Amino acid sequence: MAKTGNLYARIEPDIKEQAEAILDTLGISVSSAINMFYRQIILQRGIPFSMKLPDLGQMSAAELDAELEKGYEDLMAGRVKPAVQVFADIRKDYGV
């Protein structure tokens, strides 16, 4: 067996559970999936999937309205945080 290294990561519990259920269905261990992901990073010389914000200029009026409605619903339901708290959370999560 090849030498291995350890990887420690913090994952949201619900994300971890959902991903592991899918991997289990596929018959792939978490370690194998992470190994595949890292190999793809090397092969692609970057993240192996698109990472970009939606281009609001490309959205139809209905799509834009739906996105704005989601934001409004979050606001009305109290699912909001001050920007200062959001940035503090990001710094804490990423050790910045």
Side-chain angles (χ1 to χ4, degrees), residues 37 40-41 44-55 94:
F37 177 62
Q40 283 300 310
I41 290 171
Q44 301 291 326
R45 298 182 52 121
I47 301 296
F49 48 82
S50 177
M51 293 180 51
K52 58 185 177 180
L53 297 172
D55 183 357
Y94 292 96

Side-chain angles (χ1 to χ4, degrees), residues 23-42:
L23 291 172
D24 187 53
T25 300
L26 294 170
I28 299 171
S29 71
V30 173
S31 293
S32 293
I34 292 170
N35 199 351
M36 287 187 277
F37 177 62
Y38 271 43
R39 288 176 183 275
Q40 283 300 310
I41 290 171
I42 294 165

Side-chain angles (χ1 to χ4, degrees), residues 14-85:
D14 60 322
I15 299 296
K16 181 179 181 287
E17 184 179 308
Q18 290 177 50
E20 287 177 355
I22 292 168
L23 291 172
D24 187 53
T25 300
L26 294 170
I28 299 171
S29 71
V30 173
S31 293
S32 293
I34 292 170
N35 199 351
M36 287 187 277
F37 177 62
Y38 271 43
R39 288 176 183 275
Q40 283 300 310
I41 290 171
I42 294 165
L43 288 170
Q44 301 291 326
R45 298 182 52 121
I47 301 296
F49 48 82
S50 177
M51 293 180 51
K52 58 185 177 180
L53 297 172
D55 183 357
L56 298 180
Q58 299 284 335
M59 294 178 126
S60 69
E63 291 170 325
L64 181 57
D65 286 346
E67 288 300 312
L68 291 170
E69 186 65 33
K70 283 188 225 174
Y72 180 72
E73 288 170 2
D74 284 343
L75 177 66
M76 297 310 292
R79 293 184 299 261
V80 296
K81 287 184 184 180
V84 171
Q85 182 63 49

